Structures are given as structure tokens and as C-alpha cells.
Amino acid sequence: MSTYSPSLRIELITTGDQAGTWGNTTNTNLGTLVESAIAGYVSVSVTTANQALTALNGAADQARNMTIALTTTTAANFAVYAPPAEKTYVIYNASAYTATIYNSTVIGNTTAAGAGVAIPAGKTMTVWTEGTNFAFQNTHIIGTLVGNVTGNADTATTATTATNATNINISATTSSDTTTSLVLVGAQATGNQSPFIDSGLAYNANTNTLSTDNVAIGAGTLTTTNWTITESAGKLVFSYGGSAKFSIDSSGNTIAASNVTAYGTP
């Protein structure tokens, strides 16, 4: 009597069985079951808050496919349950709600065997399981971030360099998490970001200023609480409360709006 493999439920023919007909079983194993596990795609409509993926012995099913697209009619967040077997999946959540994938404790039930992975609406994720717990496929990436990046920065993040990234959203995973060094340079730092660059320094991409305490440094301008020093037409202009008080040009010529005292106490 045939048995079935534990992970992909492929029929294993007992020696001497299916004489003259084993070719049909072999073709199903190789042409349908193994192929779907490596390159198969299926779209699954989820109709309940908790739904098990179909899992059949020796026949096509949902859970064996490599790539699964999820839609839902529940109008709410939902969960799907894969068999308690080793597997890697590419999951596309085509719905407008969060989908969470778990292993079931027994094939076909909707009791979680361990940890699941939540897949946001409209997102695609690669996940894997050892049969009990699902996990992200990649938790460490080395490289340069290019394009639109959204994610969480944990306490281990000490430096992040973004190249040509116009939308960068970085949030702490808990209230105690911090990002100690985020550097955005020139035109790469656009939008409404106000990231912190090391402790005590903040960069405002809208005004192109770097500030600490009550001092802000912009392009050709140094601003304190009341004073502003601006380079204009080859001169440094000192203003107080928005009104120019003193200037000095590249030749050393100075102009004061009021009296100039020599040898006095500043």
C-alpha cells in the first residue's frame, strides 16, 4: 500500500504495487505535485476569519503551491493555516486587510501550532516554516537602500545610508527603541522627514537646516534664538529680530546700523 511523503504529501509507491499503472502516479507526482511545490501558483479566496489551506495526499491542493495569493470576503483581518510541515512560501496578500499565516496542529484544522507571520494588505512576503512556527525569510539585508522604503529600525541600527530615497519612514518597534544615526544627503533628503542624525542633532529636509538646541544651520545661514548671520552678495549680514544691524564684506569693510565703540567692553 502506498504511503505519502510528510512535507509535500507525494505518493510513495510500495515495491511491487501498481504494476502497469505506476506511470500515472509518477506523472502526477512529478508533473503536478513536485512542479506546484517548486513553481506553482494558486489564488485562495478566504471566506472566514480562520481558514485552512486545502492539503491532500497525492493530489493537487492549495497548500503545496510555492506562491499563494490571498483575497478575502470577510471585510476584516484574517488568518490562513498551512499543514504542520516544512515549507517555504511566497505569499501575496491581495486583500485590503492583514493576513496572518500559521501552521495548524493537524492538517486541516485552524488551531495555531506556533508563531505566525502577519502580511500587510497589498504586500508580498517570503516566509518559511519548520512545521510549527512561521518566520520571515530574510531578517538581515546588506546593501544600499534605493527607492521607497518603509520599515522598522531596531536598537541594533547604528547607521543607515539612503541613496535616492524620496520616502523613508523609520519607526521604533517599541517605545524604547531608537535609531542612533540616520544620514540623508542633499537631494536624497526630500519630503517631510525630520530624522535625527546622532544624538542632539536634527535635520529638517523641508528647510534644509541642521539644528541642535536653539541653533540652526542652513545653506549660508546660522540662526540662534534672536540673531541670524547670513551670507549675501559677498557680505556677512548680522540681523537681530529680522532687522539687519551690522555687515562686513570680503575686503573688511564694515557697516553698522548704530554706533561703533572701540576699546569698550562687548
Side-chain angles (χ1 to χ4, degrees), residues 91-130:
I91 305 293
Y92 169 43
N93 181 4
S95 78
Y97 305 94
T98 297
T100 303
I101 185 167
Y102 295 98
N103 285 115
S104 58
T105 55
V106 177
I107 289 180
N109 77 7
T110 54
T111 301
V117 170
I119 303 161
K123 303 301 182 182
T124 301
M125 294 177 60
T126 301
V127 296
W128 68 276
T129 174
E130 89 286 36

Short mmCIF file of all heavy atoms in Angstrom, two decimals, residues 91-130:
data_model
loop_
_atom_site.label_atom_id
_atom_site.label_comp_id
_atom_site.label_asym_id
_atom_site.label_seq_id
_atom_site.Cartn_x
_atom_site.Cartn_y
_atom_site.Cartn_z
N ILE A 91 3.94 34.64 -0.30
CA ILE A 91 2.53 34.97 -0.06
C ILE A 91 2.26 36.39 -0.52
O ILE A 91 2.93 37.34 -0.09
CB ILE A 91 2.18 34.85 1.44
CG1 ILE A 91 2.54 33.46 1.98
CG2 ILE A 91 0.70 35.14 1.65
CD1 ILE A 91 1.72 32.34 1.42
N TYR A 92 1.30 36.54 -1.41
CA TYR A 92 0.83 37.86 -1.84
C TYR A 92 -0.53 38.11 -1.22
O TYR A 92 -1.50 37.40 -1.51
CB TYR A 92 0.74 37.92 -3.36
CG TYR A 92 0.02 39.16 -3.89
CD1 TYR A 92 0.26 40.42 -3.35
CD2 TYR A 92 -0.90 39.05 -4.93
CE1 TYR A 92 -0.40 41.54 -3.82
CE2 TYR A 92 -1.57 40.16 -5.41
CZ TYR A 92 -1.31 41.40 -4.86
OH TYR A 92 -1.97 42.52 -5.32
N ASN A 93 -0.59 39.09 -0.34
CA ASN A 93 -1.86 39.46 0.28
C ASN A 93 -2.56 40.47 -0.63
O ASN A 93 -2.30 41.67 -0.56
CB ASN A 93 -1.63 40.04 1.68
CG ASN A 93 -2.94 40.39 2.36
OD1 ASN A 93 -4.02 40.14 1.84
ND2 ASN A 93 -2.85 40.99 3.54
N ALA A 94 -3.41 39.97 -1.49
CA ALA A 94 -4.10 40.83 -2.46
C ALA A 94 -5.33 41.51 -1.86
O ALA A 94 -6.07 42.18 -2.58
CB ALA A 94 -4.51 40.00 -3.68
N SER A 95 -5.54 41.33 -0.57
CA SER A 95 -6.72 41.91 0.07
C SER A 95 -6.39 43.28 0.68
O SER A 95 -5.25 43.73 0.65
CB SER A 95 -7.23 40.98 1.19
OG SER A 95 -6.43 41.11 2.36
N ALA A 96 -7.41 43.91 1.24
CA ALA A 96 -7.24 45.20 1.91
C ALA A 96 -7.07 45.03 3.42
O ALA A 96 -7.16 46.02 4.15
CB ALA A 96 -8.44 46.09 1.61
N TYR A 97 -6.81 43.82 3.87
CA TYR A 97 -6.72 43.53 5.30
C TYR A 97 -5.45 42.73 5.59
O TYR A 97 -4.84 42.14 4.69
CB TYR A 97 -7.96 42.75 5.77
CG TYR A 97 -9.25 43.46 5.44
CD1 TYR A 97 -9.95 43.16 4.26
CD2 TYR A 97 -9.76 44.45 6.26
CE1 TYR A 97 -11.11 43.83 3.93
CE2 TYR A 97 -10.92 45.12 5.95
CZ TYR A 97 -11.60 44.81 4.77
OH TYR A 97 -12.74 45.49 4.46
N THR A 98 -5.06 42.72 6.85
CA THR A 98 -3.87 41.97 7.24
C THR A 98 -4.17 40.47 7.24
O THR A 98 -5.18 40.03 7.78
CB THR A 98 -3.40 42.40 8.64
OG1 THR A 98 -3.02 43.77 8.60
CG2 THR A 98 -2.20 41.57 9.09
N ALA A 99 -3.27 39.71 6.61
CA ALA A 99 -3.38 38.25 6.59
C ALA A 99 -2.25 37.66 7.43
O ALA A 99 -1.11 38.09 7.31
CB ALA A 99 -3.30 37.72 5.17
N THR A 100 -2.55 36.69 8.27
CA THR A 100 -1.53 36.02 9.07
C THR A 100 -1.53 34.55 8.72
O THR A 100 -2.59 33.92 8.66
CB THR A 100 -1.81 36.19 10.58
OG1 THR A 100 -1.87 37.59 10.88
CG2 THR A 100 -0.69 35.56 11.40
N ILE A 101 -0.34 34.00 8.47
CA ILE A 101 -0.22 32.58 8.14
C ILE A 101 0.37 31.82 9.31
O ILE A 101 1.35 32.26 9.93
CB ILE A 101 0.60 32.36 6.85
CG1 ILE A 101 0.59 30.87 6.49
CG2 ILE A 101 2.01 32.91 6.97
CD1 ILE A 101 1.11 30.58 5.09
N TYR A 102 -0.25 30.70 9.65
CA TYR A 102 0.19 29.83 10.73
C TYR A 102 0.33 28.40 10.20
O TYR A 102 -0.24 28.04 9.17
CB TYR A 102 -0.85 29.78 11.86
CG TYR A 102 -1.09 31.06 12.61
CD1 TYR A 102 -2.17 31.88 12.28
CD2 TYR A 102 -0.28 31.43 13.67
CE1 TYR A 102 -2.42 33.06 12.98
CE2 TYR A 102 -0.53 32.59 14.39
CZ TYR A 102 -1.60 33.40 14.04
OH TYR A 102 -1.85 34.55 14.74
N ASN A 103 1.04 27.58 10.96
CA ASN A 103 0.92 26.13 10.82
C ASN A 103 -0.23 25.67 11.70
O ASN A 103 -0.41 26.18 12.81
CB ASN A 103 2.19 25.41 11.30
CG ASN A 103 3.32 25.53 10.32
OD1 ASN A 103 4.34 26.13 10.61
ND2 ASN A 103 3.17 24.94 9.14
N SER A 104 -1.01 24.73 11.22
CA SER A 104 -2.04 24.13 12.06
C SER A 104 -1.42 22.99 12.86
O SER A 104 -0.34 22.49 12.53
CB SER A 104 -3.18 23.61 11.20
OG SER A 104 -2.70 22.67 10.26
N THR A 105 -2.06 22.60 13.93
CA THR A 105 -1.55 21.49 14.73
C THR A 105 -1.76 20.16 14.04
O THR A 105 -0.99 19.22 14.20
CB THR A 105 -2.23 21.47 16.11
OG1 THR A 105 -3.65 21.42 15.93
CG2 THR A 105 -1.85 22.71 16.92
N VAL A 106 -2.84 20.08 13.27
CA VAL A 106 -3.18 18.88 12.49
C VAL A 106 -3.64 19.36 11.12
O VAL A 106 -4.29 20.41 11.00
CB VAL A 106 -4.30 18.06 13.17
CG1 VAL A 106 -4.69 16.86 12.32
CG2 VAL A 106 -3.88 17.62 14.56
N ILE A 107 -3.29 18.63 10.07
CA ILE A 107 -3.70 19.03 8.73
C ILE A 107 -5.21 19.31 8.69
O ILE A 107 -6.02 18.48 9.11
CB ILE A 107 -3.35 17.95 7.70
CG1 ILE A 107 -1.84 17.89 7.47
CG2 ILE A 107 -4.05 18.21 6.37
CD1 ILE A 107 -1.40 16.85 6.47
N GLY A 108 -5.56 20.51 8.21
CA GLY A 108 -6.97 20.85 8.01
C GLY A 108 -7.63 21.60 9.14
O GLY A 108 -8.72 22.14 8.95
N ASN A 109 -6.98 21.68 10.35
CA ASN A 109 -7.65 22.43 11.41
C ASN A 109 -7.14 23.88 11.45
O ASN A 109 -6.23 24.26 10.71
CB ASN A 109 -7.50 21.73 12.77
CG ASN A 109 -6.12 21.92 13.40
OD1 ASN A 109 -5.27 22.66 12.92
ND2 ASN A 109 -5.88 21.22 14.50
N THR A 110 -7.76 24.67 12.28
CA THR A 110 -7.40 26.09 12.37
C THR A 110 -6.94 26.43 13.78
O THR A 110 -7.24 27.49 14.32
CB THR A 110 -8.58 26.99 11.96
OG1 THR A 110 -9.72 26.65 12.74
CG2 THR A 110 -8.90 26.84 10.49
N THR A 111 -6.17 25.52 14.37
CA THR A 111 -5.51 25.76 15.65
C THR A 111 -4.04 26.00 15.38
O THR A 111 -3.37 25.17 14.76
CB THR A 111 -5.67 24.56 16.60
OG1 THR A 111 -7.06 24.32 16.82
CG2 THR A 111 -4.98 24.82 17.93
N ALA A 112 -3.53 27.15 15.81
CA ALA A 112 -2.14 27.51 15.52
C ALA A 112 -1.17 26.62 16.28
O ALA A 112 -1.29 26.46 17.50
CB ALA A 112 -1.89 28.97 15.86
N ALA A 113 -0.20 26.05 15.57
CA ALA A 113 0.81 25.21 16.21
C ALA A 113 1.90 26.04 16.86
O ALA A 113 2.55 25.59 17.80
CB ALA A 113 1.43 24.26 15.18
N GLY A 114 2.10 27.26 16.38
CA GLY A 114 3.16 28.11 16.91
C GLY A 114 3.01 29.52 16.39
O GLY A 114 1.89 29.99 16.13
N ALA A 115 4.13 30.21 16.21
CA ALA A 115 4.11 31.61 15.78
C ALA A 115 3.70 31.73 14.32
O ALA A 115 4.01 30.88 13.49
CB ALA A 115 5.49 32.23 15.98
N GLY A 116 3.00 32.81 14.02
CA GLY A 116 2.61 33.12 12.65
C GLY A 116 3.32 34.35 12.15
O GLY A 116 4.05 35.01 12.88
N VAL A 117 3.12 34.65 10.88
CA VAL A 117 3.69 35.86 10.26
C VAL A 117 2.54 36.67 9.67
O VAL A 117 1.72 36.14 8.91
CB VAL A 117 4.71 35.52 9.17
CG1 VAL A 117 5.09 36.77 8.38
CG2 VAL A 117 5.95 34.90 9.77
N ALA A 118 2.47 37.95 10.04
CA ALA A 118 1.44 38.84 9.53
C ALA A 118 1.92 39.49 8.24
O ALA A 118 3.04 40.01 8.17
CB ALA A 118 1.09 39.90 10.56
N ILE A 119 1.09 39.47 7.22
CA ILE A 119 1.41 40.05 5.92
C ILE A 119 0.47 41.23 5.68
O ILE A 119 -0.74 41.06 5.59
CB ILE A 119 1.24 39.00 4.81
CG1 ILE A 119 2.12 37.78 5.12
CG2 ILE A 119 1.60 39.58 3.45
CD1 ILE A 119 1.72 36.54 4.39
N PRO A 120 1.00 42.45 5.62
CA PRO A 120 0.14 43.62 5.46
C PRO A 120 -0.65 43.60 4.16
O PRO A 120 -0.27 42.91 3.19
CB PRO A 120 1.14 44.79 5.48
CG PRO A 120 2.37 44.24 6.13
CD PRO A 120 2.42 42.81 5.74
N ALA A 121 -1.70 44.35 4.13
CA ALA A 121 -2.54 44.44 2.94
C ALA A 121 -1.73 44.90 1.74
O ALA A 121 -0.95 45.85 1.82
CB ALA A 121 -3.69 45.40 3.19
N GLY A 122 -1.89 44.21 0.64
CA GLY A 122 -1.24 44.59 -0.60
C GLY A 122 0.23 44.25 -0.70
O GLY A 122 0.87 44.59 -1.70
N LYS A 123 0.79 43.57 0.29
CA LYS A 123 2.21 43.27 0.31
C LYS A 123 2.49 41.81 -0.04
O LYS A 123 1.65 40.94 0.11
CB LYS A 123 2.82 43.60 1.67
CG LYS A 123 2.61 45.04 2.12
CD LYS A 123 3.21 46.03 1.14
CE LYS A 123 3.02 47.47 1.64
NZ LYS A 123 3.56 48.45 0.66
N THR A 124 3.73 41.58 -0.50
CA THR A 124 4.20 40.23 -0.79
C THR A 124 5.37 39.91 0.11
O THR A 124 6.29 40.72 0.25
CB THR A 124 4.64 40.10 -2.26
OG1 THR A 124 3.54 40.41 -3.12
CG2 THR A 124 5.14 38.70 -2.57
N MET A 125 5.35 38.73 0.73
CA MET A 125 6.43 38.32 1.63
C MET A 125 6.79 36.87 1.37
O MET A 125 5.95 36.06 1.01
CB MET A 125 6.01 38.49 3.09
CG MET A 125 5.81 39.94 3.51
SD MET A 125 5.22 40.09 5.22
CE MET A 125 6.57 39.28 6.09
N THR A 126 8.08 36.57 1.56
CA THR A 126 8.54 35.19 1.53
C THR A 126 8.70 34.71 2.97
O THR A 126 9.37 35.36 3.77
CB THR A 126 9.88 35.06 0.80
OG1 THR A 126 9.73 35.54 -0.54
CG2 THR A 126 10.34 33.61 0.75
N VAL A 127 8.06 33.60 3.30
CA VAL A 127 8.08 33.07 4.66
C VAL A 127 8.45 31.60 4.61
O VAL A 127 8.34 30.94 3.57
CB VAL A 127 6.71 33.25 5.35
CG1 VAL A 127 6.38 34.73 5.53
CG2 VAL A 127 5.60 32.55 4.56
N TRP A 128 8.89 31.09 5.73
CA TRP A 128 9.23 29.67 5.80
C TRP A 128 8.82 29.11 7.15
O TRP A 128 8.59 29.85 8.10
CB TRP A 128 10.75 29.47 5.59
CG TRP A 128 11.59 30.02 6.71
CD1 TRP A 128 12.02 31.30 6.87
CD2 TRP A 128 12.10 29.29 7.83
NE1 TRP A 128 12.76 31.44 8.01
CE2 TRP A 128 12.83 30.21 8.62
CE3 TRP A 128 12.01 27.97 8.25
CZ2 TRP A 128 13.45 29.84 9.81
CZ3 TRP A 128 12.65 27.60 9.44
CH2 TRP A 128 13.36 28.53 10.19
N THR A 129 8.71 27.79 7.21
CA THR A 129 8.33 27.14 8.46
C THR A 129 9.06 25.81 8.59
O THR A 129 9.33 25.13 7.59
CB THR A 129 6.82 26.89 8.53
OG1 THR A 129 6.53 26.14 9.72
CG2 THR A 129 6.31 26.13 7.33
N GLU A 130 9.36 25.47 9.82
CA GLU A 130 9.93 24.15 10.10
C GLU A 130 8.83 23.16 10.46
O GLU A 130 9.10 22.02 10.82
CB GLU A 130 10.97 24.25 11.22
CG GLU A 130 10.46 24.10 12.64
CD GLU A 130 9.69 25.30 13.17
OE1 GLU A 130 8.95 25.95 12.40
OE2 GLU A 130 9.81 25.58 14.39
#
